Amino acid sequence: GVTTRADGLEAPADIETLYEGAGDSFDLAWAVDENGLPADIDAIRYIKIQSTTESPEVNVVSRAPEEASPVGLSAAPARILVDGAALPLKEGLYEYDAAVRGAFAVEVEAEAGANVYINNLRAASREFALTPGKGLIRVIVQEGKKEPRIYLIRVSGTPFSDAETERR
């Protein structure tokens, strides 16, 4: 799909319309460094596309128009549950630690209509069979054009004992 709009796309609405849900939107505020930690990037100049296939597929690269006035901050989620335990969410605090045992779930209760991503999967809940690489889970909550709230959860896994494994 190609757009002739001079002012760019209104993601995610235009992308959903043009690509029927295919592809992913990405906000520079979501960028991470090589350790999976938030990177402070406010602009990019070049995009390098590298692929092991002969014909990589790029759906859209679009410059988002700057808003004339501040867009505000997305509402904080009501709760984030990790392995059934609620994180002690505090305004202005975006890094948390959580202990898990074996397979676990992350659930996010956010405002209706908010976009929720858990480790780059768009969903309000996600199951993990193992502790993710680097022990990090990133939760992004974003309402429309508002600035996202990005939470970084460091998870430490405790293996099950043989007796617990047999009972499962």
Side-chain angles (χ1 to χ4, degrees), residues 38-113:
D40 187 19
I41 299 174
D42 60 3
I44 57 174
R45 185 163 188 160
Y46 299 101
I47 299 171
K48 178 181 179 180
I49 300 170
Q50 185 170 338
S51 174
T52 58
T53 67
E54 290 182 25
S55 57
E57 183 176 329
V58 176
N59 286 336
V60 171
V61 175
S62 176
R63 177 187 305 239
E66 188 172 328
E67 294 296 323
S69 59
V71 294
L73 184 61
S74 296
R79 292 191 327 163
I80 298 176
L81 300 166
V82 178
D83 202 15
L87 295 178
L89 297 178
K90 293 183 181 156
E91 184 63 36
L93 184 61
Y94 298 101
E95 294 186 23
Y96 295 90
D97 294 309
V100 298
R101 292 181 58 83
F104 65 97
V106 174
E107 301 169 69
V108 180
E109 294 178 16
E111 291 288 324

Side-chain angles (χ1 to χ4, degrees), residues 24 27 34 41 54 57 73 81 84-85 95 97-98 100 107 115 138 142 152 154 160-161 166:
D24 297 313
D27 186 320
E34 64 276 359
I41 299 174
E54 290 182 25
E57 183 176 329
L73 184 61
L81 300 166
E95 294 186 23
D97 294 309
V100 298
E107 301 169 69
N115 293 304
R138 185 173 57 157
Q142 188 167 22
L152 184 65
R154 290 181 177 82
F160 287 106
S161 68
E166 288 174 15

Side-chain angles (χ1 to χ4, degrees), residues 1-2 12 61 102-103 129 131 155 158 165:
V2 175
V61 175
T131 302
V155 239
T158 305
T165 303

Side-chain angles (χ1 to χ4, degrees), residues 128-165:
F128 290 87
L130 302 168
T131 302
K134 300 180 183 170
L136 299 174
I137 295 175
R138 185 173 57 157
V139 172
I140 300 170
V141 177
Q142 188 167 22
E143 298 173 281
K145 295 180 180 183
K146 292 183 178 180
E147 293 180 39
R149 291 200 189 237
I150 302 173
Y151 298 87
L152 184 65
I153 306 165
R154 290 181 177 82
V155 239
S156 57
T158 305
F160 287 106
S161 68
D162 291 337
E164 288 174 313
T165 303

